[in-house]
Amino acid sequence: IQSVHEEKQQFACIICDKKFSRMGNMNYHIERVHESIRPFTCEICGKKFCQKTVMKKHVSSVHEGKKLFKCDLCDYCTSHKQSLKNHMLSVHEGSKTFTCKICNKAFFAKQKMNRHIASVHEGSKPFKCELCDKFFSQKTHMERHIASIHTGEKQFKCDICDYRFTQKSDVTRHIKIVHEGKKQFKCDVCDARFGVKTNKKKHLLSA
């Protein structure tokens, strides 16, 4: 009898090729990810979720501001244990074991590498905005687009300067960069530091 870790992942999703050890798990994946069946609705903001536990985590982190997992090396806090692990791997340990075979860009998670290949090299944009027919490679990008462009919803406010954002993560980044002056991205050539990674890239290109 095969153990849990030795189970063969023989059932492949016909849409994204993700593999599963059980057909039931594959069907669940298709319904929730590709067919967007989300029966659980947040009573505060109306956002829908595929699982009740995920909805509860959303309420706890987004609406109640609870962040139980804190990085021991910096001020990063998150409501998800996996997010903390990803933060440690990408920021502090610099672990990037998965490399794109097309452009050699490295990633700390295989899922992120596959997403990069699909969106950047294959041009895959499966998520369509129903309001303007614009397509996106990630659902979160589509939701951010709808909130900022179509609904103008900016429910997250900075406690220091009253500036408002469409996502809570943007508030956190805003406070760190603007009010706390934190610049974690250092130029590889000189001593210049930047609060935003894209600004570092622009600096390197212009140097």
Side-chain angles (χ1 to χ4, degrees):
I1 298 173
Q2 289 178 318
S3 67
V4 174
H5 301 293
E6 293 173 337
E7 281 186 325
K8 291 183 179 179
Q9 294 184 323
Q10 56 185 334
F11 301 100
C13 171
I14 60 174
I15 301 172
C16 69
D17 291 332
K18 186 173 182 179
K19 295 182 179 180
F20 301 86
S21 58
R22 294 180 175 87
M23 182 179 285
N25 293 345
M26 180 192 70
N27 291 334
Y28 181 86
H29 159 79
I30 292 172
E31 287 181 353
R32 300 307 190 247
V33 176
H34 301 298
E35 297 178 355
S36 298
I37 297 177
R38 302 174 187 274
F40 302 99
T41 305
C42 172
E43 295 179 353
I44 301 172
C45 68
K47 189 173 182 179
K48 296 181 179 294
F49 300 86
C50 59
Q51 292 180 312
K52 194 172 184 178
T53 53
V54 178
M55 183 191 70
K56 286 182 177 180
K57 285 182 180 179
H58 159 79
V59 173
S60 176
S61 62
V62 175
H63 300 298
E64 297 176 357
K66 293 180 181 178
K67 292 186 177 181
L68 303 176
F69 303 98
K70 186 183 182 303
C71 176
D72 295 328
L73 301 175
C74 69
D75 296 330
Y76 177 80
C77 291
T78 178
S79 55
H80 303 290
K81 189 175 183 178
Q82 187 59 47
S83 296
L84 178 60
K85 287 182 179 180
N86 292 342
H87 164 79
M88 293 296 296
L89 285 171
S90 61
V91 177
H92 299 299
E93 297 178 13
S95 177
K96 294 183 178 181
T97 56
F98 301 96
T99 304
C100 173
K101 294 180 180 180
I102 302 172
C103 67
N104 293 324
K105 186 174 182 179
F107 301 84
F108 70 90
K110 189 176 182 179
Q111 181 185 16
K112 289 187 176 294
M113 181 191 70
N114 290 337
R115 187 186 301 164
H116 157 80
I117 293 172
S119 61
V120 176
H121 301 298
E122 298 176 355
S124 175
K125 295 183 178 182
F127 302 100
K128 176 178 169 291
C129 173
E130 296 179 354
L131 300 172
C132 71
D133 294 336
K134 190 171 183 179
F135 287 84
F136 299 86
S137 59
Q138 297 180 42
K139 188 172 184 180
T140 53
H141 294 173
M142 181 191 70
E143 291 174 343
R144 186 187 306 167
H145 159 80
I146 292 172
S148 60
I149 302 298
H150 298 299
T151 64
E153 181 185 358
K154 293 184 178 181
Q155 60 175 322
F156 303 103
K157 184 177 80 67
C158 173
D159 295 329
I160 303 173
C161 69
D162 293 335
Y163 202 89
R164 304 187 76 89
F165 301 86
T166 56
Q167 293 191 66
K168 190 164 187 177
S169 58
D170 292 335
V171 181
T172 304
R173 182 168 59 240
H174 161 79
I175 291 173
K176 285 184 177 181
I177 297 172
V178 177
H179 300 297
E180 297 178 358
K182 291 184 178 180
K183 297 181 179 180
Q184 61 175 332
F185 301 101
K186 184 183 178 296
C187 175
D188 301 326
V189 181
C190 66
D191 294 328
R193 302 187 73 90
F194 305 88
V196 182
K197 195 173 184 178
T198 52
N199 289 345
K200 173 190 169 182
K201 289 182 179 179
K202 288 178 182 177
H203 165 78
L204 288 169
L205 289 171
S206 62

